[in-house]
């Protein structure tokens, strides 16, 4: 078993030990306290090699933490205490979370390695006419799993053939891609999608029939087992870890569907802070307990997220209904240590296992989490976003902030009604078109990118709600404004030029725009990532002068196809992420969230392209007109080109039945 860990793992044992100690120190750094030479320390060499021991160690640590917490809680006073008594709990908690993280990561990787060897062994027995499985249910599931594997290989083969270099014909011109090969990719995607749905139906049936899964017999897929381990880790560790799990849940173009389904629960059932702790946080921030400030304050939260939970309150004198967002107690103090542990462990795993490259998760979250933990920053972001929507006339509501009751850890705002953007049952019941909602979501966020340059970078379903207006039309309600990015004007215009070029499929302009963004040879990959489409579809549109391709595919099969491409070119994608401007990373995160919403709503990819291209084209035209170097003739040509493009877009909107 130990041979599964490569020789490179030796040098990372000490790295993980540093991670755990750094996690503990990180909890103290925030408070400005110095480390004590008498503070307890733990050695972590043995648990690294045996995940079962790690789990036991974690449990033992938790018991000690609970004992220490009880001692601390029973002797709370306003007087300062020695360091050893006051800071031992955060140290042990941070170290416990770091141990649990490493335990889960190593266990997940081992699961996949063992599963891989198990498949090879089983194939060998099958060749000899033997079968190592005896459980009838397991055999049934194994057959379905095998079908998914074969269909996945079929999709990969079809995509590889489609991506082969073009052949030259006599006059030196390149022979166009075969339409037959393109259709084979679509057919393979549909076959894989259907196989995955059959497997998903089998699992749901087993759960509904209350059958127990036996992991050792193969009745539960390796993806399901590992996704549950990660979900359980996020729930137990809370805070930063829930944030990571939520981000993974939006990567449905990259991760297997089992991960998306299981991790998506983190949006709705994040850990809840006990009400006594909520009262203490409000007292520490506002000087009084909630019952002394508000006419009414509901003890049970209406929502709980990775960083905070929301309670309904009623304002004194006015009777106005409010939503009070309260940060989880202790999160501010422990987040630094958790980030250090996450960074060390993820990079250690990247170094040990070449097939697992997820260090970018820590790199992305680390610089932004402190901003999200400052609710005053979130309140300012909300007001700035609301001003932009009001000016642009887009049907999007941002709750009004009440600064009298807001601090860095408590945020008070108007209570706004609505339903989650992915609540399909409510959408159908309200007789609202999913395509209308999908287009409205695109308009809201593309307007932020191309008009104000002030972008909400975390639009997951729990933050994007909708409701009907008095006129019966849908409008969005946007929550959680902690993570925003203000892109500079130069980047915004270059990015707008790129999207306009993608809309009209102008290959040379795409190359030029990518060059200004620091990407040269990898411009096809960047274009494909932004559109979630193969670059050859852009080539096809450049020849047909159309916004859409001839071949259609359903949303589920399309998601499978894009996931196949993403997994196939994962190494190239990682390299590209190192080259693009840092401003684009959060835009990619936003796109991941919007892509997940779009797939859930059955969105038409072409509609999203047209909405983004329309906003981009308007900004490019506006910028070109304001240029002092342009002559009257040049401006007239720009105007004619702009009018022609807007006319094409209007014709597309009329044909598609979604007039804006």
């Amino acid at each position: 078993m130990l041979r599964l860990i490569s020789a490179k793992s030796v040098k990372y044992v000490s790295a993980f030990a540093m991670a755990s100690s750094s996690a503990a120190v990180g909890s103290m750094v925030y408070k400005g306290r110095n480390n004590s030479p008498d503070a307890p320390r733990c050695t972590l060499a043995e648990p690294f090699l045996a995940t079962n021991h790690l789990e036991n160690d974690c449990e033992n640590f938790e018991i000690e933490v609970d004992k220490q917490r009880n001692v601390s809680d029973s002797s709370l006073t306003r007087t300062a205490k020695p360091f050893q008594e006051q800071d031992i709990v955060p140290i042990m908690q941070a170290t416990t979370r770091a141990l649990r993280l490493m335990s889960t990561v190593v266990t997940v990787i081992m699961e996949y390695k063992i599963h891989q060897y198990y498949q090879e062994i089983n194939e060998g027995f099958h060749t000899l006419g033997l079968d190592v499985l005896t459980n009838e249910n397991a055999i049934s599931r194994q057959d379905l799993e095998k079908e998914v594997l074969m269909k996945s290989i079929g999709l990969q083969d079809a995509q590889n053939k489609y991506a082969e270099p073009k052949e030259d014909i006599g006059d030196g011109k390149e022979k166009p891609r075969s339409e037959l090969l393109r259709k084979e990719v679509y057919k393979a995607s549909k076959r894989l999608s259907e196989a995955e749905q059959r497997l998903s139906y089998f699992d749901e049936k087993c759960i509904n029939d209350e059958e127990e899964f036996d992991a050792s017999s193969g009745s539960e897929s390796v993806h399901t087992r590992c996704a549950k381990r990660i979900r359980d880790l996020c729930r137990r560790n809370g805070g930063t870890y829930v944030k990571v799990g939520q981000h993974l849940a939006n990567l449905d173009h990259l991760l297997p569907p089992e991960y998306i389904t299981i991790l998506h629960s983190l949006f709705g059932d994040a850990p809840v802070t006990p009400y006594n702790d909520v009262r203490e946080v409000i007292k520490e921030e506002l000087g009084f307990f909630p019952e002394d400030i508000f006419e009414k304050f509901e003890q049970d939260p209406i929502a709980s997220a990775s960083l905070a939970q929301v309670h309904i309150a009623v304002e004194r004198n006015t009777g106005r209904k409010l939503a009070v967002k309260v940060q989880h107690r202790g999160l501010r103090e422990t987040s630094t240590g958790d980030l250090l542990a996450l960074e060390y462990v993820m990079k250690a795993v990247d170094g040990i296992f070449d097939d697992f490259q997820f260090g970018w998760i820590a790199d992305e979250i680390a610089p932004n989490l402190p901003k999200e933990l400052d609710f005053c920053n979130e309140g300012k972001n909300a007001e700035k976003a609301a001003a932009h929507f009001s000016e642009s006339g887009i049907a999007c509501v941002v709750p009004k902030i009440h600064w009298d009751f807001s601090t860095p850890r408590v945020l008070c705002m108007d209570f706004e009604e609505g339903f989650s953007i992915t609540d399909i049952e409510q959408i159908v019941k309200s007789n609202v078109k999913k395509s209308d909602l999908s287009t409205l979501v695109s308009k809201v966020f593309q307007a932020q990118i191309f008009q104000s340059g002030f972008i909400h970078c975390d639009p997951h379903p729990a933050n994007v709600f909708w409701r009907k207006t008095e006129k019966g039309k849908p409008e969005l309600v946007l929550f959680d404004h902690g993570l925003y990015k203000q892109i500079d004007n130069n980047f915004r215009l270059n990015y707008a030029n790129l999207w306009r070029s993608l809309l009209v499929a102008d290959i040379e302009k795409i190359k030029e725009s990518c060059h200004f963004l620091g990407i040269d040879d990898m411009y096809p990959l960047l274009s494909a990532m932004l559109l979630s489409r193969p670059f050859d579809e852009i080539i096809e549109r450049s020849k047909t002068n159309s916004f859409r391709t001839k071949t259609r595919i359903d949303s589920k099969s399309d998601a499978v196809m894009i996931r196949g491409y993403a997994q196939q070119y994962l190494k190239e994608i990682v390299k590209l992420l190192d080259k693009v401007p840092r401003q684009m990373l959060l835009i990619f995160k936003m796109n991941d969230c919007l892509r997940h919403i779009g797939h859930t709503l059955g969105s038409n990819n072409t509609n999203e392209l047209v909405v983004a291209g329309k906003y981009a084209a308007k900004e490019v035209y506006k910028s070109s007109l304001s240029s002092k170097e342009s002559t009257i003739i040049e401006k007239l040509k720009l105007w004619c080109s702009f009018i022609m493009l807007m006319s094409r877009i209007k014709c597309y909107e009329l044909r598609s039945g979604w007039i804006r």
Side-chain angles (χ1 to χ4, degrees):
M1 183 69 66
L2 295 180
R3 286 185 299 174
L4 297 176
I5 302 180
S6 67
K8 289 186 289 183
S9 64
V10 176
K11 67 178 181 180
Y12 287 103
V13 176
S14 59
F16 175 62
M18 288 175 60
S20 301
S21 59
S22 296
V25 172
S27 301
M28 298 181 294
V29 168
Y30 185 89
K31 297 181 180 180
R33 299 189 178 104
N34 296 321
N35 195 359
S36 168
D38 299 325
R41 292 174 173 80
C42 55
T43 58
L44 307 173
E46 288 297 325
F48 179 81
L49 298 177
T51 56
N52 289 335
H53 290 191
L54 270 174
E55 291 288 354
N56 294 335
D57 287 348
C58 287
E59 296 298 331
N60 292 336
F61 266 109
E62 287 218 305
I63 293 172
E64 291 301 321
V65 168
D66 290 338
K67 289 180 180 178
Q68 186 63 38
R69 183 188 289 116
N70 292 335
V71 172
S72 299
D73 290 345
S74 64
S75 58
L76 280 175
T77 62
R78 292 296 178 183
T79 59
K81 294 184 178 181
F83 163 77
Q84 291 88 340
E85 295 182 27
Q86 206 170 37
D87 288 337
I88 183 63
V89 172
I91 292 174
M92 295 177 69
Q93 288 176 332
T95 305
T96 299
R97 287 191 295 272
L99 277 167
R100 196 180 294 130
L101 169 63
M102 192 61 183
S103 169
T104 301
V105 169
V106 172
T107 303
V108 165
I109 293 174
M110 292 300 186
E111 284 265 19
Y112 278 106
K113 292 293 185 181
I114 292 172
H115 180 73
Q116 178 184 347
Y117 293 150
Y118 175 80
Q119 284 185 319
E120 294 173 356
I121 293 171
N122 200 37
E123 286 294 331
F125 277 104
H126 185 72
T127 304
L128 297 174
L130 303 174
D131 201 334
V132 296
L133 293 176
T134 57
N135 183 287
E136 183 179 347
N137 182 56
I139 293 174
S140 176
R141 197 187 198 292
Q142 187 198 29
D143 291 340
L144 292 173
E145 252 192 326
K146 197 171 186 179
E147 182 187 12
V148 170
L149 177 62
M150 297 306 296
K151 301 303 182 188
S152 179
I153 294 174
L155 174 59
Q156 186 175 356
D157 289 342
Q159 290 176 328
N160 286 336
K161 290 179 181 178
Y162 182 60
E164 286 176 355
K166 300 175 183 179
E167 299 175 2
D168 289 339
I169 54 180
D171 57 359
K173 295 181 180 179
E174 291 184 333
K175 183 179 180 180
R177 299 283 191 196
S178 169
E179 188 66 25
L180 181 61
L181 290 177
R182 186 197 304 277
K183 289 182 179 179
E184 280 301 315
V185 172
Y186 292 149
K187 289 179 181 178
S189 301
K190 188 172 183 62
R191 288 193 289 268
L192 176 56
S193 174
E194 291 172 349
E196 288 181 345
Q197 289 178 55
R198 284 192 289 272
L199 182 59
S200 176
Y201 174 77
F202 177 88
D203 287 343
E204 289 176 6
K205 184 177 182 299
C206 289
I207 294 173
N208 292 335
D209 293 342
E210 296 184 352
E211 293 183 12
E212 292 186 1
F213 285 125
D214 181 3
S216 62
S217 67
S219 61
E220 190 176 52
S221 74
V222 64
H223 293 320
T224 300
R225 293 197 302 271
C226 293
K228 286 182 177 179
R229 290 184 185 277
I230 294 174
R231 178 202 60 193
D232 294 343
L233 168 74
C234 294
R235 284 177 175 171
R236 292 182 69 186
N237 280 4
T240 305
Y241 293 86
V242 174
K243 200 76 177 174
V244 173
Q246 290 176 343
H247 184 53
L248 292 176
N250 284 316
L251 301 179
D252 48 4
H253 61 296
L254 181 60
L255 297 178
E258 292 91 338
Y259 278 85
I260 307 306
T261 301
I262 292 171
L263 294 179
H264 197 264
S265 64
L266 294 173
F267 289 116
D269 63 351
V272 175
T273 295
Y275 181 63
N276 285 338
D277 286 343
V278 171
R279 293 179 74 246
E280 290 299 328
V281 171
I282 293 177
K283 175 71 180 297
E284 292 168 6
E285 294 295 304
L286 298 177
F288 299 93
F289 289 117
E291 59 268 24
D292 299 325
I293 300 174
F294 304 102
E295 182 176 319
K296 182 181 178 182
F297 190 92
E298 295 190 4
Q299 296 187 15
D300 295 328
I302 58 170
S304 181
S306 56
L307 307 182
Q309 59 193 49
V310 179
H311 295 258
I312 294 178
V314 176
E315 189 177 21
R316 289 189 184 277
N317 302 325
T318 67
R320 179 162 41 194
K321 196 174 183 180
L322 303 173
V324 183
K325 182 175 179 179
V326 184
Q327 191 173 116
H328 295 310
R329 193 176 190 188
L331 179 61
R332 180 177 60 180
E333 290 78 10
T334 61
S335 61
T336 303
D338 287 343
L339 285 173
L340 286 171
L342 186 66
E343 181 179 3
Y344 273 111
V345 172
M346 288 301 175
K347 290 186 176 179
V349 171
D350 285 355
I352 298 171
F353 299 97
D354 295 333
D355 295 336
F356 295 84
Q357 297 293 324
F358 288 101
W360 54 270
I361 296 176
D363 292 338
E364 178 184 310
I365 293 177
N368 297 307
L369 187 60
K371 299 177 184 177
E372 294 186 80
L373 291 173
D374 182 0
F375 289 174
C376 288
N377 177 64
E378 178 177 345
K380 294 174 183 177
N381 291 343
E383 290 185 333
K384 188 172 180 179
H388 167 244
F389 292 134
S390 176
E391 181 181 346
S392 62
I394 297 177
C396 184
V397 174
V398 175
K400 179 184 177 182
I401 305 299
H402 294 268
W403 288 108
D404 290 344
F405 310 121
S406 296
T407 69
R409 290 197 294 165
V410 176
L411 186 66
C412 185
M413 67 200 89
D414 281 350
F415 179 85
E416 298 288 353
E417 301 279 357
F419 306 98
S420 172
I421 193 67
T422 54
D423 187 347
I424 302 300
E425 182 180 349
Q426 189 62 43
I427 293 172
V428 173
K429 188 185 299 183
S430 302
N431 198 28
V432 173
K433 291 183 179 179
K434 291 189 289 184
S435 58
D436 288 345
L437 280 177
S438 177
T439 301
L440 180 57
V441 170
S442 295
K443 289 178 64 177
V444 165
F445 291 98
Q446 299 306 332
Q448 283 194 326
I449 292 174
F450 297 114
Q451 289 182 346
S452 68
F454 191 58
I455 309 167
H456 189 305
C457 297
D458 197 20
H460 59 69
N463 291 339
V464 184
F465 275 43
W466 70 275
R467 66 190 182 194
K468 270 188 172 183
T469 63
E470 294 179 356
K471 297 181 179 180
K473 293 184 178 181
E475 70 177 0
L476 293 191
V477 183
L478 201 56
F479 300 111
D480 195 352
H481 301 267
L483 184 58
Y484 267 71
K485 179 66 179 178
Q486 178 67 64
I487 57 177
D488 63 64
N489 196 53
N490 186 53
F491 174 85
R492 183 177 63 86
L493 291 177
N494 285 330
Y495 192 66
N497 270 299
L498 174 57
W499 269 97
R500 184 193 182 282
S501 304
L502 291 172
L503 175 65
V504 299
D506 187 332
I507 306 298
E508 291 304 316
K509 287 291 185 181
I510 291 173
K511 289 182 182 179
E512 181 181 321
S513 300
C514 287
H515 171 74
F516 285 117
L517 291 172
I519 303 298
D520 291 314
D521 295 338
M522 301 180 78
Y523 73 90
L525 180 59
L526 177 59
S527 304
M529 288 174 62
L530 291 173
L531 293 178
S532 292
R533 314 301 309 157
F535 188 74
D536 278 70
E537 290 192 6
I538 301 176
I539 296 176
E540 178 189 341
R541 291 195 296 108
S542 70
K543 296 173 182 177
T544 60
N545 196 34
S546 173
F547 292 148
R548 68 172 73 196
T549 56
K550 296 179 181 178
T551 311
R552 305 291 179 85
I553 186 172
D554 64 274
S555 59
K556 290 184 178 179
S557 300
D558 182 71
V560 167
M561 181 182 70
I562 296 305
R563 189 174 73 242
Y565 278 122
Q567 292 171 346
Q568 187 175 348
Y569 295 103
L570 181 59
K571 291 184 178 179
E572 288 79 4
I573 290 174
V574 172
K575 290 180 182 178
L576 179 66
L577 292 176
D578 287 334
K579 291 186 176 182
V580 296
R582 298 297 91 183
Q583 299 178 77
M584 190 172 284
L585 291 181
L586 285 178
I587 293 181
F588 279 136
K589 183 180 187 298
M590 182 199 75
N591 287 341
D592 289 336
C593 296
L594 295 180
R595 189 179 294 111
H596 175 74
I597 292 174
H599 284 157
T600 304
L601 295 175
S603 173
N604 184 328
N605 186 269
T606 305
N607 289 356
E608 296 174 358
L609 168 65
V610 171
V611 171
K614 183 177 181 179
Y615 277 99
K618 287 181 178 180
E619 288 306 305
V620 170
Y621 174 65
K622 180 180 176 181
S623 174
S624 300
L625 281 183
S626 62
S627 175
K628 297 180 180 180
E629 299 177 358
S630 301
T631 64
I632 296 178
I633 300 298
E634 289 174 338
K635 290 183 178 181
L636 182 61
K637 289 181 179 179
L638 287 171
W639 180 81
C640 291
S641 176
F642 176 71
I643 293 300
M644 289 178 63
L645 179 56
M646 291 298 109
S647 299
R648 285 183 60 192
I649 292 174
K650 179 60 69 176
C651 288
Y652 173 83
E653 293 173 349
L654 291 170
R655 287 199 308 270
S656 301
W658 50 285
I659 304 175
R660 299 293 158 241

